[in-house]
Amino acid sequence: MEAVLTRRDLNRATLARQHLLERTTRSAVDVVSHLAGMQAQAQAPFPPYFGLWSRVDGFTAEELVDLLESRTVVRCSLQRGTVHLVTAADALWLRPLLAPLYERFVRVSPATAGRLDGVDLDALAAAGRTLLDDDPLTLAEFGRALAPTWPDRDPRALGHAVPLLTPLVQVPPRALWGRSGPPRLAPLETWVGAPLDPDLAVDDLVLRYLAAFGPASVLDAQRWAGLAFLGETFERLRPRLVTFRDEDGRELFDLPDAPRPGGDAGAPIRLVAAYDDLLLGHADRTRIYDVEHQRRLIPVNAVIPATVLVDGFVDGTWTWAATRSRAEVTITPFSLWPRRVRADVEAEARHLLARAAPEVPAHEVHVTEPA
């Protein structure tokens, strides 16, 4: 009979894989690779910095800046159709593997659906790549440059289609801490100086997912990746995996030697970044937050807030703001915290401020009334 893992068991196992039970001394690039990428969001370039501060002991913003400028890591649309910070090596095999997801997006995305009927999509992709031979472009610049070739089409739809049809990356200064810039796009292969690697199988994707998010169900993996029909892959891998059941009887798969510390393991306070895959990596997210918090954590507008973990589960949100003279974290609890918990949350916020804004003279932490 398969062992049953409780909600707390799953919580602690996931936090251990995510380096949120204990900060790791591994390098930032190793952690990005282990997580198979960190959601970065097209219009929110900085969450991965906060995600690494919550996971990596001694991480500095300059470390990630160096990785971006050296093209060791890139910002590329991958899982679920969202921009992720990934290693260049992972981008080269993940993007071809996820190509079916992007082919579907051309048909269903609000920016392109029904607006490109009759357009030769291969020709459109080739034209987009040709435009990038000279310099990176924004989506709006793509649209304006492609409009003369397809004058009867919406330039916005043309511009949005190119990143769906061909692997592109957002290039620096986008997402450089303290600088940034508009999202300009360049071909993935050209930018990293290596060809796409379509030879890695979906098996590799599932194994990487379990290493960072397991134990998990087939549906969990499908939701994280944005791919359907992974059941056959799990069945093929079954001899290499161990299986469990959750409290509702769902079958869960895992790597035999992956950490599963048990529900009694302690979990420190952590400030989790906005858009963090911790909140988005499963179909059943009750291992991370209560169902009653669904609407405020995963709203209709898809703006995923930064969250506070108390005893391993989401029990609040936080925001950050900084000027040259002051940096502050504002925390909004979901429940009334005991004095000890509040003190630990404030200490973790000050830890974050010391790393995110070491040059700013004044650091402040504000805790509001429960929302």
Side-chain angles (χ1 to χ4, degrees):
M1 178 179 293
E2 293 167 320
V4 174
L5 297 179
T6 68
R7 180 183 180 225
R8 288 183 67 87
D9 291 334
L10 293 173
N11 173 270
R12 295 315 196 246
T14 304
L15 295 183
R17 318 288 170 90
Q18 292 281 314
H19 298 304
L20 290 168
L21 281 189
E22 183 177 358
R23 285 186 173 90
T24 181
T25 57
R26 297 170 67 180
S27 68
V29 69
D30 283 348
V31 171
V32 172
S33 177
H34 168 71
L35 297 175
M38 305 177 74
Q39 182 161 324
Q41 201 69 8
Q43 301 305 322
F46 298 119
Y49 289 87
F50 294 99
L52 289 168
W53 274 310
S54 68
R55 291 173 167 90
V56 179
D57 190 24
F59 168 72
T60 64
E62 291 75 18
E63 184 178 357
L64 183 50
V65 168
D66 289 344
L67 292 172
L68 285 162
E69 291 187 321
S70 67
R71 310 187 187 190
T72 305
V73 301
V74 296
R75 287 170 50 85
C76 182
S77 293
L78 293 169
Q79 296 95 300
R80 302 183 303 279
T82 56
V83 174
H84 274 67
L85 177 82
V86 295
T87 66
D90 280 344
L92 290 169
W93 70 269
L94 278 170
R95 188 57 176 82
L97 191 63
L98 295 168
L101 173 67
Y102 287 89
E103 292 167 2
R104 182 173 66 85
F105 279 169
V106 175
R107 300 191 300 271
V108 303
S109 170
T112 56
R115 301 181 184 186
L116 300 175
D117 294 344
V119 172
D120 184 332
L121 297 182
D122 289 337
L124 177 58
R129 286 294 301 268
T130 299
L131 289 172
L132 292 170
D133 285 343
D134 297 324
D135 292 299
L137 298 174
T138 66
L139 289 178
E141 290 168 343
F142 262 129
R144 289 194 295 269
L146 292 166
T149 306
W150 288 275
D152 60 336
R153 301 294 176 168
D154 179 1
R156 181 172 177 270
L158 295 170
H160 277 79
V162 174
L164 301 177
L165 297 169
T166 188
L168 304 178
V169 296
Q170 292 187 357
V171 304
R174 185 65 171 171
L176 297 185
W177 187 257
R179 284 173 277 173
S180 200
R184 293 186 175 277
L185 302 168
L188 169 59
E189 300 152 275
T190 303
W191 184 252
V192 303
L196 296 176
D197 181 7
D199 294 332
L200 284 177
V202 69
D203 297 31
D204 300 281
L205 180 72
V206 168
L207 294 172
R208 292 282 297 275
Y209 169 73
L210 291 175
F213 292 89
S217 69
V218 174
L219 187 57
D220 288 330
Q222 291 179 165
R223 184 67 60 85
W224 169 79
L227 295 175
F229 310 116
L230 292 181
E232 292 182 2
T233 304
F234 276 86
E235 287 303 319
R236 185 166 56 250
L237 291 170
R238 185 181 288 273
R240 300 170 56 183
L241 304 175
V242 292
T243 58
F244 303 92
R245 296 280 171 179
D246 68 11
E247 292 173 295
D248 293 322
R250 285 182 287 261
E251 185 175 36
L252 306 174
F253 296 83
D254 205 5
L255 305 178
D257 298 327
R260 290 180 291 275
D264 293 335
I269 300 295
R270 287 291 182 260
L271 300 187
V272 176
Y275 301 101
D276 201 291
D277 277 334
L278 177 71
L279 270 69
L280 301 169
H282 302 87
D284 178 8
R285 297 164 179 169
T286 57
R287 70 177 69 194
I288 300 299
Y289 60 81
D290 292 336
V291 173
E292 65 188 85
H293 300 324
Q294 172 80 19
R295 287 189 176 182
R296 53 180 150 185
L297 295 177
I298 315 292
V300 175
N301 63 5
V303 177
I304 314 300
T307 54
V308 182
L309 298 185
V310 177
D311 189 28
F313 295 91
V314 174
D315 195 24
T317 59
W318 63 275
T319 59
W320 137 279
T323 65
R324 291 183 178 180
S325 60
R326 183 178 67 180
E328 60 185 14
V329 169
T330 301
I331 297 162
T332 303
F334 288 170
S335 65
L336 187 62
W337 292 335
R339 183 177 300 176
R340 175 188 57 79
V341 169
R342 178 174 174 138
D344 288 346
V345 172
E346 291 179 352
E348 183 68 7
R350 293 193 182 281
H351 176 276
L352 173 66
L353 287 167
R355 283 146 185 81
E359 75 290 348
V360 176
H363 291 172
E364 298 179 7
V365 176
H366 308 284
V367 181
T368 72
E369 293 300 316

